[in-house]
């Protein structure tokens, strides 16, 4: 009997130094993407895929994250007194989303180490990992497809995106073999942030994983890799070999809309794209953008 996967792990302990000084006293996950903190999009994605038990791996300076998913009695009372139900609804959205849990990472030893910190909570069942820097458009399917493939193949699954070879050094890169499904590849190798010249392909691992629990023991035995950090990519490379009989690793190729909020330029693009797509902002923003861009061309 296959049990339905219900747990999502969201590492959120990074220092967010790319966004200083904005992230001096505030976690980068709280930066607003239009009018919602980036982290809320990610939790919503998990919940939409049926993952209602969310564990965040946090660190110092991350209290705002817990507060964001908790009630805020004074604000609720004041909005209620004013009869402002629209705003009250917005305040309560994040509170009622999921069953939230938190554990601190402690030592900042890398993504693999952060995921290993979920072992106690997750126990012996497959689970999803969602990285906060990537926002997947809610209109495009990814996580549900990955969960289905996990069950079907009894393997670990990563999300892959074909990127420009010039940016493969920013990602885990996968060596792949085709399967009879055009959206699914078998992973034969993985390298964390390779130089373009040595990258096995331009298939980049984007921040979504559905992992078998055996990953915990492998992570515990994974030596520090790139940047002196314990890399999830390296543990998955071990699993890809399937020497332990855990079914190997497959990639679901994502062809939908993804927004990167991890660095400044991409973050700005994400805000503009998402805002111009919205019914409340788009109709005014789009003509303004066109005019603004035309002005830029003249310069
Ligand atoms: C992490 C992973 C990398 C992956 C990327 C996706 O890197 O280590 O393999 O491709 O997320 O966003 P980070 O961007 O946290 O440095």
């Amino acid at each position: 009997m296959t049990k339905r996967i219900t747990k999502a792990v969201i590492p959120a302990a990074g220092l967010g130094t790319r966004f200083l000084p904005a992230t001096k006293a505030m976690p980068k996950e709280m930066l607003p993407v239009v009018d919602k903190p980036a982290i809320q999009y990610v939790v919503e994605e998990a919940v939409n895929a049926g993952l209602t038990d969310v564990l965040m791996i946090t660190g110092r300076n991350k209290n705002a994250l817990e507060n964001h998913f908790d009630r805020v009695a004074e604000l609720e009372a004041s909005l209620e007194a004013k009869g402002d139900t629209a705003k009250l609804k917005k305040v309560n959205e994040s509170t009622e989303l999921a069953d939230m849990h938190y554990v601190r990472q402690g030592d900042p030893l890398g993504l693999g180490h952060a995921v290993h910190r979920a072992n106690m909570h997750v126990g012996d069942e497959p689970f999803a990992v969602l990285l906060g820097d990537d926002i997947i458009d809610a209109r495009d399917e990814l996580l549900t497809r990955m969960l289905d493939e996990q069950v079907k193949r009894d393997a670990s699954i990563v999300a892959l995106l074909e990127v420009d070879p010039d940016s493969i050094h920013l990602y885990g890169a996968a060596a792949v073999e085709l399967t009879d499904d055009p959206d699914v590849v078998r992973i034969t190798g993985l390298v964390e942030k390779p130089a373009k010249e040595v990258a096995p392909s331009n298939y980049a691992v984007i921040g979504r994983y559905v992992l078998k629990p055996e990953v915990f023991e492998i992570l515990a035995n994974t030596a520090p890799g790139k940047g002196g950090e314990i890399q999830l990519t390296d543990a998955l490379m071990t699993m890809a070999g399937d020497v332990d009989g855990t079914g190997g690793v497959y990639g679901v190729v994502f062809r939908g809309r993804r927004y990167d909020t991890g660095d400044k330029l991409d973050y700005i693009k994400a805000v503009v794209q998402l805002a111009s797509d919205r019914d409340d902002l788009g109709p005014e923003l789009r003509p303004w953008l066109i005019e603004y861009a035309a002005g830029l061309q003249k310069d």
Side-chain angles (χ1 to χ4, degrees):
M1 276 295 275
T2 326
K3 232 180 107 212
R4 208 169 62 82
I5 300 173
T6 57
K7 290 179 183 167
V9 173
I10 304 182
L15 295 176
T17 50
R18 287 182 194 163
F19 286 90
L20 282 170
T23 49
K24 185 177 170 189
M26 181 186 83
K28 68 168 176 174
E29 293 80 7
M30 287 302 294
L31 288 170
V33 177
V34 190
D35 51 8
K36 224 168 24 181
I39 193 74
Q40 191 177 328
Y41 288 85
V42 179
V43 175
E44 284 173 356
E45 182 192 334
V47 171
N48 287 337
L51 310 176
T52 49
D53 177 328
V54 174
L55 174 72
M56 270 190 205
I57 316 294
T58 69
R60 290 182 67 245
N61 227 350
K62 300 285 182 169
N63 293 342
L65 287 173
E66 295 193 29
N67 290 339
H68 183 69
F69 293 98
D70 197 1
R71 301 217 84 91
V72 48
E74 319 84 86
L75 179 58
E76 288 173 38
S78 124
L79 290 170
E80 233 166 80
K82 283 194 214 139
D84 195 339
T85 45
K87 288 215 180 80
L88 191 60
K89 193 167 161 262
K90 282 196 187 301
V91 167
N92 286 335
E93 258 167 25
S94 55
T95 319
E96 289 157 3
L97 261 179
D99 184 9
M100 303 295 300
H101 304 268
Y102 304 88
V103 62
R104 285 200 182 200
Q105 186 179 359
D107 299 317
L109 300 180
L111 178 60
H113 176 258
V115 171
H116 188 259
R117 295 284 292 137
N119 192 2
M120 210 48 145
H121 182 83
V122 168
D124 194 24
E125 50 189 273
F127 64 104
V129 175
L130 291 85
L131 304 187
D133 286 349
D134 288 301
I135 293 181
I136 301 297
D137 198 299
R139 295 164 291 187
D140 299 328
E141 187 192 36
L142 176 59
L143 196 52
T144 45
R145 181 70 204 274
M146 293 173 72
L147 293 165
D148 289 348
E149 291 299 329
Q150 197 288 318
V151 172
K152 183 172 145 198
R153 297 177 191 272
D154 192 19
S156 290
I157 313 287
V158 301
L160 296 177
L161 182 75
E162 282 195 77
V163 300
D164 186 318
D166 284 334
S167 34
I168 195 69
H169 66 283
L170 301 170
Y171 300 92
V176 304
E177 250 173 27
L178 300 181
T179 67
D180 50 15
D181 184 329
D183 293 332
V184 181
V185 290
R186 197 175 76 81
I187 306 246
T188 57
L190 280 165
V191 193
E192 179 67 4
K193 304 200 173 101
K196 178 184 173 181
E197 296 70 31
V198 295
S201 75
N202 66 331
Y203 278 112
V205 177
I206 50 171
R208 301 293 179 268
Y209 311 76
V210 181
L211 303 175
K212 292 187 68 171
E214 287 82 356
V215 73
F216 291 124
E217 205 189 319
I218 292 169
L219 280 170
N221 293 305
T222 298
K226 188 99 184 177
E229 297 188 339
I230 297 169
Q231 296 291 351
L232 181 57
T233 302
D234 294 344
L236 289 171
M237 173 67 210
T238 306
M239 290 177 96
D242 195 20
V243 279
D244 51 357
T246 53
V249 181
Y250 287 81
V252 167
V253 181
F254 182 60
R255 305 181 211 278
R257 289 157 284 192
R258 163 203 178 237
Y259 311 94
D260 183 354
T261 59
D263 85 272
K264 267 184 272 195
L265 188 60
D266 287 328
Y267 168 79
I268 293 164
K269 290 181 192 167
V271 173
V272 172
Q273 280 175 285
L274 284 161
S276 65
D277 245 6
R278 283 213 344 205
D279 292 342
D280 56 341
L281 299 166
E284 276 186 65
L285 179 60
R286 284 192 299 266
W288 178 83
L289 270 175
I290 291 165
E291 203 179 309
Y292 183 67
L296 291 178
Q297 271 173 343
K298 279 192 225 122
D299 295 343

